[in-house]
Amino acid sequence: MGQLSEEQVLEGLERLTDWEWDAEEVLIHRTVRLPGFLAAVALVNEVAQAAEQADHHPDIDIRYDTVRLALSTHSEGAVTDRDMALAARIDELVAATAQNSH
């Protein structure tokens, strides 16, 4: 599992939804606003299951209806392919959660 260069990270973000690069913190992050607290918690539970399956865990901050997700491979001190793969999976979960909450 190799570290991605900033150029590779930025290239990868083009294929993701609403993720941003934080060069100072060396991570990618996304903030999702949901219809309410229970929808936010439901998304966090879905992300937790996906993270366990991938054995790769994001930093998660939940504030009522807003969830902030941050990814970095701490053991590498960088963003890696594992982060990009989990971000893509999180995008799928966010889309499904948004669809189910209508």
Side-chain angles (χ1 to χ4, degrees):
M1 161 182 36
Q3 300 178 2
L4 299 179
S5 68
E6 184 168 352
E7 183 178 313
Q8 289 171 311
V9 170
L10 293 172
E11 221 172 77
L13 291 180
E14 292 175 12
R15 294 185 292 276
L16 299 172
T17 305
D18 298 330
W19 288 86
E20 296 177 27
W21 166 239
D22 184 330
E24 189 175 310
E25 296 287 325
V26 192
L27 55 79
I28 59 173
H29 63 91
R30 179 179 180 184
T31 301
V32 180
R33 188 145 192 198
L34 295 133
F37 181 70
L38 292 179
V41 171
L43 174 63
V44 169
N45 284 331
E46 291 290 324
V47 170
Q49 290 296 322
E52 276 296 298
Q53 289 172 357
D55 192 29
H56 192 63
H57 304 90
D59 293 332
I60 301 172
D61 179 40
I62 183 170
R63 310 275 171 118
Y64 181 61
D65 64 351
T66 305
V67 178
R68 183 179 187 274
L69 302 140
L71 287 164
S72 180
T73 303
H74 301 293
S75 62
E76 295 284 330
V79 174
T80 66
D81 287 330
R82 293 184 77 193
D83 300 301
M84 297 308 235
L86 186 54
R89 179 67 183 121
I90 289 170
D91 283 350
E92 293 171 358
L93 295 170
V94 169
T97 300
Q99 199 171 44
N100 292 335
S101 65
H102 285 106

